[in-house]
Amino acid sequence: MSTHPLRRIILCYAAPALAAAIPTIPAHILLPSLYGDTLGLGLTLTGILFFIIRLIDMFTDPLVGYASDRMKMRKPWVVAGAFLAGIGIWFLFNPPAAPSGWYLFGWASLLFIGWTMFQVPYLAWGAELSRDYHQRGIISALREGAGLVGILLAGIIPVAMGVNAPLAQTALLGNVTLVAGAIGVLVLALFVPDILRSISARWTIDASASHQQSAFRDRAVWPRENQPVLPKWGIGRLRDGCKGLWQNRLFVRLLVAWLINGLANGLPAVCFPLFIRYGLGLAPADQNVLILLYFAVAVLAMPVWVMLGGRYGRPVIWCWAMVLAIIAFAFVPLLGQGDFAGFAVICVVTGAALGADLALPPAIQADVDDWDRYRFGQARTGLLFALWNMTNKLALALAAGIALPILGMVGLTGQDSGQNGALMPENDTAKLVLVVIYAVLPIVLKIMAVAMMWQFPLGLRHQLALRRRLARRMF
């Protein structure tokens, strides 16, 4: 029986993350303002529609996670989800001149449901590739690093090609996503084994090997006689799968902090194009440069956060990264019209903090999954990551549902702007509300998240002890 080098498998596993991240900028940053402002659908209606779409999408996460756990398959879900998301991207990123609310609702719903079918099993798949603390950090970093490279490409391509019009920019990035996604998903399907099916066939990663030499071995990490007992398949048994989750205080604590920090990140993301145009009076070309700068710094900072997290513990390093973002946001109210340089510095600092937000929390969640297996004796990685993804979507739904309708009600539209896109003097109230939503609320929310995660009791020493206990239980 052949041996598969873990390093090659991890690289192939991370490949689709690059393509999946390319539409992140359009989907989370550009589309709300594109449909609500540029295409004339209205900020209030657009915000409400995105809120409803996200809520519907959110409740598919636990179903997909539970189903992929029970069916013992990740790969078919990932491939099917990528196909559906691709269809949604084509229509959503190439809208007609005057799209209706139903057009946005229908194609955005298909995109986000397909995204769920892809992302939930994909994240769980990564957690199953290794039980080693350091390897998990590497897997998470490579996946999120590939995603950041994809986001970076989404910033580089419009700048390099001189595409500044929002509609042309989203269409270009949508087409690039479809090509890169087809290649990445094909590599994943051909070269990465479906872990749950591999376990049943007695294939696994040798968890007892050192983190430098771990490889897939012809030996099961979960021997048949010691595998956790799972309830039989059935949607009606989803409640049984969730039983005990809310007694897992570490999981609940991390999930609440992730929700709060997700909302703190979602509010500036939704408001970013509006803040560039109406708050600072900058041009679309400046917006593209600032987005590129933001994500370029995040890519460069990510290895540093991973290294620090491996040495001092991921929870405490994540807290310090959030503190860094708090300091940066505190200077936003001091910016004036046309202050490109000042806002660029803020983008550099918050971009550095983003690298920690993307790399560290999923790895902490994988460690919490080990605790859940040990404490409650159930293998429900897919369900845990489904709730994780569901919480992230709730944060994004709240961000769009809070920010856009409020800004629409206070009159933040193109009709209130001057020739260069800056706010007219009489609309100072709208500018103040924009600054509060963009910077002040995220500061308050991140302070709350830091308070939740400070002294989180699952660092390197605790996770190593947990792995030893799980190994004794299994063998």
Side-chain angles (χ1 to χ4, degrees), residues 164-403:
N164 297 320
L167 189 58
Q169 186 175 338
T170 54
L172 172 64
L173 294 178
N175 295 334
V176 172
T177 298
L178 295 177
V179 174
I183 297 173
V185 172
L186 181 62
V187 169
L188 178 79
L190 291 178
F191 299 109
V192 181
D194 200 326
I195 296 300
L196 291 183
R197 294 176 64 86
S198 298
I199 288 174
S200 64
R202 305 186 69 81
W203 282 67
T204 189
I205 296 171
D206 185 1
S208 64
S210 67
H211 65 270
Q212 296 93 349
Q213 299 177 341
S214 292
F216 279 82
R217 302 294 177 86
D218 184 17
R219 181 168 60 87
V221 71
W222 295 101
R224 294 178 184 270
E225 61 274 14
N226 291 327
Q227 289 187 26
V229 179
L230 301 176
K232 295 181 179 180
W233 163 254
I235 297 298
R237 302 299 298 273
L238 179 59
R239 182 183 304 174
D240 293 338
C242 294
K243 184 179 180 180
L245 277 181
W246 307 115
Q247 282 72 46
N248 186 341
R249 295 184 179 180
L250 294 183
F251 172 72
V252 173
R253 182 174 168 181
L254 176 62
L255 201 66
V256 173
W258 178 245
L259 171 63
I260 295 172
N261 188 65
L263 181 57
N265 290 336
L267 289 172
V270 168
C271 296
F272 188 84
L274 301 173
F275 185 74
I276 290 288
R277 179 179 180 184
Y278 299 120
L280 298 177
L282 299 175
D286 296 325
Q287 172 182 301
N288 292 338
V289 172
L290 289 169
I291 289 176
L292 175 58
L293 179 65
Y294 177 73
F295 288 109
V297 174
V299 171
L300 295 175
M302 177 174 282
V304 178
W305 294 119
V306 173
M307 179 189 67
L308 293 174
R311 182 171 182 177
Y312 299 105
R314 289 188 272 261
V316 67
I317 296 301
W318 184 33
C319 286
W320 283 114
M322 288 188 283
V323 169
L324 187 65
I326 290 170
I327 296 173
F329 277 124
F331 287 92
V332 169
L334 304 180
L335 298 175
Q337 286 289 298
D339 194 351
F340 177 88
F343 191 57
V345 174
I346 293 174
C347 288
V348 168
V349 178
T350 54
L354 175 69
D357 280 335
L358 294 178
L360 299 180
I364 299 173
Q365 167 70 350
D367 297 336
V368 172
D369 175 53
D370 273 349
W371 166 252
D372 188 74
R373 284 176 181 261
Y374 174 75
R375 176 64 178 81
F376 299 99
Q378 295 191 54
R380 45 190 179 188
T381 305
L383 180 58
L384 288 172
F385 274 94
L387 293 173
W388 179 262
N389 205 41
M390 182 178 176
T391 302
N392 186 49
K393 291 180 178 179
L394 176 59
L396 294 174
L398 291 173
I402 292 172

Side-chain angles (χ1 to χ4, degrees), residues 47-48 51 263 267 270-271 395-409 437 441 445:
I48 293 173
F51 178 72
L263 181 57
L267 289 172
V270 168
C271 296
L396 294 174
L398 291 173
I402 292 172
L404 295 183
I406 291 177
L407 293 174
M409 286 187 291
I437 294 176
L441 284 180
L445 292 168

